Amino acid sequence: MLAAGHAAVDFYQGAVPALVPFLVTGRGYGYVAVSGIVLAATLLSSIVQPLFGLLTDRWRMPWLIPLSMVVAGAGVALGGVTDSYVLTWLAMALSGLGVAAYHPESARLARIASEGGHVRMSWFSLGGTLGFASAPVLVTPLLARWGLDASPFLAVPAVLGAVVTLPTVLALAGGKGTARAAAPVSGRDDWPSFLRLTMVIVFRSVVYVGLSTFVALLMGGGAAGAVALFVLFGGGAVGTVLGGRLAVRWGRVRTMRVAYALAIVAVAGVVLVSGPLAYVFVAASSIALYIPFSLHVTLGQDFLPTRVGTAGGVTLGLAVSVGGLTSPVVGALAEAMTLRTALAFLIAFPALAWLLVRTLKEPALEPA
């Protein structure tokens, strides 16, 4: 049920880039303008997400999970029907606020439900990935048929997610697992390693959000663009589950090193290859970038065993938000040169992530 709720809220992370082609054709927005819309959905989320993590470390707020879903859905629903760019930007910022409020508390409850297991946590992360993947499949046909005026219907997943998740949230919030989570935790926080992991996530986020924002336009928009987004988001589902399995066999850090090395080649293929073969590289990029996704969460929580909410807010939240801060830069480069040339700069970021992962080691946790 937590994975289903994660799918509902991260649907709105995927809905924003799926809206981009319709904002370009329907309102005449340029690359910089639409990248600013993505920035709106991610800027506020990036800033306040760690703050929500600090709050959930101090107070238990399970009620925040269903409320944040509704807020995320309301923002995207309103963004399609506003007449001005400013109101659209503010609506997307509201959606980003809902996403920010969701992740820290949900990551804490997911750790309780998964008992810290890599594979179980990968299933929770898979829910969010499937939410991403379903966005272009639902958004594109809906808006292609009825236009941006139909965007209020996009609030439905948020309402359904809140209804489905609420009983599980209440059960976990009132159960013994929460009492154990609130008790003092053994182990020392390793802030230097956590900060290096955070930079890895930032680099991963820059390349992934950059691809999700512009890959539909790179492939020509329309149906071809929707297919590219579905392949990008759907490949993430494969990578998420694969990451948990590989971590059990190889360990988290080694798995992350291999994944980021493969991501360098895959992202280069997206930029340099055209035609049907480009979709193969889109899928490979998504799989490689999502193999570490759930591993970031559990590794971050193990680096900060006394601040699980903060770790979840940073690792799970930044993974899908902070990259939007650089989207306007990519948009400006695309308008100054070409979109393909601008996206070539993204190849550097999985390489930087790979270099930093090589400095990390598995944390040695003290028994509780």
Side-chain angles (χ1 to χ4, degrees):
M1 292 301 100
L2 287 176
H6 198 187
V9 78
D10 276 6
F11 169 85
Y12 298 100
Q13 291 282 352
V16 175
L19 283 169
V20 164
F22 296 97
L23 294 173
V24 171
T25 58
R27 298 183 182 176
Y29 292 165
Y31 289 135
V32 174
V34 294
S35 60
I37 294 296
V38 177
L39 175 65
T42 56
L43 176 61
L44 188 60
S45 179
S46 299
I47 293 173
V48 304
Q49 200 137 205
L51 299 180
F52 278 112
L54 292 172
L55 290 174
T56 57
D57 278 332
R58 187 166 184 178
W59 297 290
R60 300 308 182 222
M61 298 186 290
W63 51 267
L64 198 57
I65 293 178
L67 177 62
S68 62
M69 291 182 188
V70 175
V71 171
V76 168
L78 293 172
V81 296
T82 55
D83 293 329
S84 74
Y85 182 83
V86 172
L87 291 177
T88 300
W89 196 97
L90 291 173
M92 296 305 176
L94 178 66
S95 180
L97 179 63
V99 172
Y102 172 85
H103 284 104
E105 182 68 4
S106 68
R108 183 183 69 83
L109 292 183
R111 186 176 177 89
I112 294 171
S114 68
E115 299 179 343
H118 305 325
V119 174
R120 292 178 183 178
M121 185 61 83
S122 74
W123 286 105
F124 171 70
S125 300
L126 174 64
T129 307
L130 292 177
F132 261 92
S134 66
V137 177
L138 298 177
V139 172
T140 301
L142 177 70
L143 301 189
R145 176 64 177 84
W146 286 289
L148 288 169
D149 289 340
S151 62
F153 290 104
L154 297 177
V156 172
V159 176
L160 291 177
V163 171
V164 168
T165 305
L166 186 58
T168 299
V169 169
L170 293 176
L172 287 172
K176 296 179 180 179
T178 302
R180 290 196 301 270
V185 180
S186 177
R188 291 182 297 178
D189 293 335
D190 182 357
W191 282 101
S193 293
F194 181 78
L195 291 176
R196 290 198 298 273
L197 175 65
T198 299
M199 288 307 302
V200 169
I201 296 170
V202 168
F203 293 144
R204 179 239 180 234
S205 181
V206 167
V207 63
Y208 187 79
V209 175
L211 288 176
S212 66
T213 302
F214 294 109
V215 73
L217 296 174
L218 181 68
M219 296 299 182
V227 171
L229 279 177
F230 178 75
V231 171
L232 182 73
F233 297 159
V238 177
T240 302
V241 175
L242 187 60
R245 300 289 180 181
L246 292 176
V248 172
R249 177 175 297 183
W250 292 348
R252 289 171 292 185
V253 173
R254 183 184 176 190
T255 300
M256 290 165 60
R257 290 172 182 169
V258 173
Y260 283 119
L262 294 175
I264 300 170
V265 178
V267 174
V270 173
V271 176
L272 301 175
V273 176
S274 58
L277 185 59
Y279 290 101
V280 176
F281 284 104
V282 170
S285 296
S286 183
I287 292 171
L289 291 170
Y290 260 96
I291 283 175
F293 185 61
S294 65
L295 309 185
H296 292 155
V297 181
T298 59
L299 194 59
Q301 290 175 332
D302 287 346
F303 282 143
L304 300 184
T306 70
R307 297 179 180 272
V308 171
T310 299
V314 173
T315 56
L316 192 57
L318 285 177
V320 292
S321 61
V322 77
L325 302 179
T326 61
S327 291
V329 178
V330 178
L333 290 173
E335 291 190 348
M337 298 178 286
T338 66
L339 179 58
R340 193 174 296 275
T341 302
L343 292 178
F345 288 95
L346 297 180
I347 301 171
F349 290 96
L352 292 172
W354 176 77
L355 289 172
L356 264 183
V357 169
R358 290 178 61 84
T359 71
L360 296 177
K361 296 181 179 179
E362 290 283 345
L365 298 179
E366 298 177 14

